[in-house]
Structures are given as structure tokens and as C-alpha cells.
């Protein structure tokens, strides 16, 4: 009866504490390899709807080249998407401030940047769904979010 329940209680507390330590270690402790510039926004690019992964990867590549944002690794974003965690929830878990989302319809790329805390759209526009579109998205997102011009 009651004896087995009492024995499980310490194990449940220990498991919850271990999980909390893991979450803090995985998501909140700074890495010695990442040096954030003061005021640099932390951005996650969500896989684009209607795309097989090539366009959002091209946008990430362009954003990295420009150096205006600190970017969440796309593989981390995909892992959250695979388990159906909403982008806004994922962003709060990992401390992302901005989300860049998009979709491809026919030959058009529709992209937007939203503030995670307020949910407000900061910027949105249409571009061609090709490499020039990826470059244009990176440039426009940087301008809209107070980024500096590319070197």
C-alpha cells in the first residue's frame, strides 16, 4: 500500500531536479565559444512552410555572413519542430528574442520577423523564392530589426 509510494517520492524529486539541472546546463549557461555583442538580437529561423529546407538554410547562411544577429542553430529549431513545440514556446525556452518565419507559395517567398515576448510582427515582405530572395530577406530583416550594414 503506502510504503511503495513513499519510496518513489525521493526518486521523483531527484529526477525532477536532474531534469532542471539539465535544462539550465543545456539552454541557459553561456558557452565560451559564443561571444554576444551588446545589443545584438538573438534570432531563430523557423523552417519555411512549403519548402524542403533549402530556402531557410540559405537565409540562415546569409544572416550569418552579415553578422547582425546571434542565430540559434537550425538543427536545434528543427528538433523542436519535430516534436511539435510551437516556435514561440521554443523561443522562450532557449531565450530567443526574435523569430523569422516564412512560406513559399509558387515562386514567392513571404517572410516575417516577430518579437517573441509581445507576439508582434516587426517586419514582413515578399521576395522571389530563389537565392536572391534569401539575400534580400537577410538584408531587409537586418534593416528592420536595427541591424548594421554588412561589412
Amino acid at each position: 500500500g503506502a510504503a511503495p509510494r513513499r519510496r518513489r517520492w525521493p526518486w521523483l524529486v531527484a529526477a525532477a531536479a536532474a531534469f532542471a539541472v539539465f535544462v539550465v546546463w543545456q539552454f541557459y549557461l553561456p558557452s565560451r565559444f559564443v561571444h554576444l555583442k551588446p545589443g545584438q538580437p538573438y534570432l531563430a529561423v523557423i523552417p519555411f512552410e512549403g519548402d524542403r529546407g533549402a530556402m531557410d538554410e540559405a537565409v540562415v547562411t546569409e544572416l550569418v555572413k552579415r553578422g547582425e544577429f546571434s542565430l540559434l542553430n537550425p538543427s536545434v529549431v528543427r528538433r523542436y519542430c519535430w516534436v511539435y513545440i510551437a516556435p514561440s514556446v521554443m523561443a522562450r525556452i532557449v531565450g530567443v528574442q526574435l523569430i523569422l518565419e516564412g512560406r513559399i507559395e509558387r515562386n514567392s517567398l513571404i517572410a516575417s520577423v516577430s518579437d517573441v515576448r509581445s507576439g508582434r510582427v516587426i517586419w514582413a515582405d515578399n521576395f522571389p523564392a530563389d537565392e536572391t530572395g534569401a539575400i534580400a530577406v537577410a538584408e531587409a530583416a537586418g534593416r528592420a530589426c536595427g541591424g548594421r550594414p554588412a561589412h
Side-chain angles (χ1 to χ4, degrees):
R5 280 192 192 154
R6 279 186 244 164
R7 287 186 206 139
R8 271 190 267 166
W9 177 250
W11 287 106
L12 290 173
V13 170
F19 180 72
V21 167
F22 172 77
V23 167
V24 168
W25 170 73
Q26 184 67 34
F27 298 115
Y28 294 104
L29 292 181
S31 167
R32 66 183 175 96
F33 299 103
V34 177
H35 303 286
L36 297 178
K37 297 171 187 148
Q40 186 177 46
Y42 191 18
L43 175 80
V45 178
I46 307 303
F48 293 172
E49 294 176 31
D51 186 28
R52 300 281 185 247
M55 185 57 73
D56 58 300
E57 291 287 339
V59 170
V60 167
T61 300
E62 290 303 321
L63 288 167
V64 168
K65 286 179 188 177
R66 293 180 61 81
E68 297 169 335
F69 298 96
S70 178
L71 291 160
L72 183 61
N73 188 317
S75 66
V76 173
V77 175
R78 282 192 297 277
R79 275 185 256 149
Y80 279 96
C81 291
W82 287 336
V83 293
Y84 301 105
I85 293 178
S88 59
V89 173
M90 177 265 318
R92 286 185 179 266
I93 290 170
V94 297
V96 169
Q97 299 161 327
L98 302 170
I99 294 176
L100 191 152
E101 299 176 279
R103 70 179 187 276
I104 296 179
E105 292 181 0
R106 297 185 195 115
N107 293 325
S108 183
L109 165 60
I110 299 127
S112 66
V113 174
S114 300
D115 175 69
V116 171
R117 290 188 189 265
S118 68
R120 291 185 178 155
V121 175
I122 296 170
W123 162 85
D125 208 342
N126 298 343
F127 302 92
D130 59 18
E131 188 175 323
T132 63
I135 293 168
V137 167
E139 289 174 354
R143 280 192 310 273
C145 299
R148 64 186 194 288
H151 315 2

